[in-house]
């Protein structure tokens, strides 16, 4: 399944604790049964331990094995109830429903919920066939039927609520992960934009320095050539050209310093 969450056995801790409580309750009932009958229900305990181990290995289940994994769980519960173990054992189908939400898409979850309800109904009918021959008084028999109807109703509602709850939690988790990814991408884009802006600004300043400095150096070269030609014949005019050359050199240095200062100020502003 594409939506399998592999961060933990179950990403939502309270669901994991719920599984442990349900399995632990069945384990306690098994110990009580062992104390009453003076016989250890080995098969029952093995079923519970296997279901616990399968829950801990949920994050390792491959998408291609999701249905097989779910079928094995349901088969274990069906086997336990067929062997005549605890009456509360069929409620473990709720655990199967929780796990299936992490492994299967909605059509598969509906199949699991439907089969769980059908198997639960079969187990309840089997339970009734064992107590009805006891010839209970009419009032007690009516209470038994009302109790069974309430169990059917509560189990069906539990399947629906669990499916909706876990689906909502998974959807919320996926949304949070997508938002986190989008935030990281946006941050990367922002860094790239800043880097591009820095490159563009650096290139602009470099062009300014090149243009201004190139123009100043060209004029300076012309002035120096004029000085060389006039130095012997007309020293006064040559001195004038020399002063102009000095001024051009000073102006060129100032322009370079101003351009560098602009770059440093811009860079500090971006970093600050």
């Amino acid at each position: 399944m594409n939506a399998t969450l592999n961060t933990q056995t179950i990403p939502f801790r309270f669901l994991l604790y719920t599984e442990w409580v349900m399995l632990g309750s069945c384990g306690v009932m098994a110990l009580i049964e062992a104390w009453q009958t003076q016989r250890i229900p080995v098969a029952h305990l093995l079923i519970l331990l296997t279901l616990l181990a399968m829950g801990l290995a949920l994050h390792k289940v491959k998408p291609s094995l999701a249905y097989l994994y779910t079928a094995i769980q349901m088969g274990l519960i069906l086997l336990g109830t067929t062997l005549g173990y605890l009456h509360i054992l069929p409620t473990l189908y709720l655990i199967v429903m929780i796990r299936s939400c992490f492994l299967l898409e909605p059509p598969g979850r509906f199949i699991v919920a439907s089969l769980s309800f059908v198997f639960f109904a079969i187990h309840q009918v089997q339970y009734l066939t064992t107590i009805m021959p006891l010839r209970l008084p009419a009032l007690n028999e009516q209470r038994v039927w009302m109790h069974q109807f309430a169990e059917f109703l509560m189990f069906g509602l539990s399947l629906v609520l669990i499916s909706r709850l876990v689906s909502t939690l998974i959807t919320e988790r996926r949304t949070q992960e997508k938002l986190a990814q989008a935030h990281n991408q946006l941050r990367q884009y922002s860094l790239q934009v800043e880097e591009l802006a820095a490159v563009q600004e650096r290139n602009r300043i470099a062009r300014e320095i090149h243009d201004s400095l190139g123009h100043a150096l060209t004029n300076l070269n012309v002035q120096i050539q004029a000085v060389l030609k006039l130095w012997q014949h007309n020293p006064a005019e040559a001195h004038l050209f020399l002063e102009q050359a000095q001024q051009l050199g000073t102006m060129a240095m100032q322009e370079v310093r101003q351009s560098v200062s602009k770059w440093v100020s811009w860079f500090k502003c971006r970093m600050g």
Side-chain angles (χ1 to χ4, degrees):
M1 186 194 67
N2 296 331
T4 302
L5 301 177
N6 295 326
T7 55
Q8 302 175 11
T9 302
I10 290 183
F12 310 102
R13 284 292 183 180
F14 74 94
L15 294 178
L16 185 61
Y17 298 150
T18 301
E19 290 187 5
W20 289 352
V21 168
M22 295 179 66
L23 291 171
S25 300
C26 289
V28 171
M29 295 298 292
L31 294 177
I32 295 175
E33 176 186 339
W35 179 74
Q36 291 177 345
T37 61
Q38 300 298 315
R39 180 178 58 86
I40 299 178
V42 178
H44 185 186
L45 293 176
L46 287 177
I47 289 174
L48 294 178
L49 290 176
T50 303
L51 289 173
L52 176 62
M54 293 183 70
L56 296 175
L58 177 63
H59 64 291
K60 297 181 180 179
V61 178
K62 297 180 179 180
S64 58
L65 301 177
Y67 282 99
L68 177 61
Y69 173 87
T70 304
I72 292 175
Q73 294 179 101
M74 300 184 75
L76 288 172
I77 300 174
L78 180 62
L79 175 62
T81 53
T82 302
L83 294 176
Y85 291 126
L86 300 177
H87 176 54
I88 66 171
L89 191 63
T91 57
L92 296 184
Y93 285 118
L94 296 177
I95 293 180
V96 179
M97 187 71 241
I98 293 174
R99 295 174 181 175
S100 67
C101 290
F102 294 97
L103 297 174
L104 305 174
E105 294 295 340
R109 300 173 194 172
F110 178 77
I111 294 174
V112 172
S114 301
L115 290 176
S116 297
F117 188 81
V118 170
F119 289 158
F120 180 82
I122 294 174
H123 301 323
Q124 294 302 102
V125 171
Q126 290 177 346
Y127 174 72
L128 287 175
T129 58
T130 59
I131 64 173
M132 293 307 293
L134 300 178
R135 299 179 182 277
L136 298 175
L139 181 59
N140 290 339
E141 182 177 341
Q142 182 180 5
R143 289 180 178 177
V144 170
W145 282 106
M146 292 179 62
H147 176 71
Q148 292 302 313
F149 177 77
E151 285 192 2
F152 277 117
L153 182 61
M154 290 301 298
F155 186 78
L157 289 176
S158 297
L159 288 174
V160 175
L161 291 176
I162 286 176
S163 177
R164 296 301 302 169
L165 172 63
V166 179
S167 298
T168 301
L169 292 175
I170 292 176
T171 301
E172 183 180 356
R173 175 62 63 87
R174 294 177 188 169
T175 302
Q176 292 176 353
E177 292 178 350
K178 290 180 179 179
L179 287 176
Q181 293 177 356
H183 177 73
N184 291 333
Q185 291 180 352
L186 183 61
R187 186 176 181 181
Q188 292 177 359
Y189 292 153
S190 177
L191 293 175
Q192 292 176 359
V193 169
E194 290 183 359
E195 183 178 356
L196 180 60
V199 172
Q200 291 178 343
E201 182 66 14
R202 186 168 61 247
N203 292 337
R204 184 185 67 81
I205 294 175
R207 285 195 300 270
E208 288 182 357
I209 294 175
H210 178 270
D211 295 341
S212 60
L213 187 60
H215 178 71
L217 291 178
T218 301
N219 291 334
L220 182 61
N221 185 45
V222 172
Q223 298 296 330
I224 292 175
Q225 290 179 359
V227 170
L228 293 175
K229 292 181 180 179
L230 296 174
W231 185 257
Q232 293 181 352
H233 305 288
N234 192 351
E237 188 174 357
H239 183 72
L240 179 62
F241 279 103
L242 188 60
E243 289 179 351
Q244 293 179 357
Q246 183 182 5
Q247 293 177 358
L248 287 174
T250 303
M251 292 176 58
M253 289 296 299
Q254 290 178 350
E255 290 181 358
V256 170
R257 289 172 182 172
Q258 290 177 357
S259 298
V260 173
S261 178
K262 289 180 181 180
W263 163 250
V264 172
S265 300
W266 181 88
F267 182 77
K268 289 182 178 179
C269 180
R270 301 294 295 183
M271 294 300 294

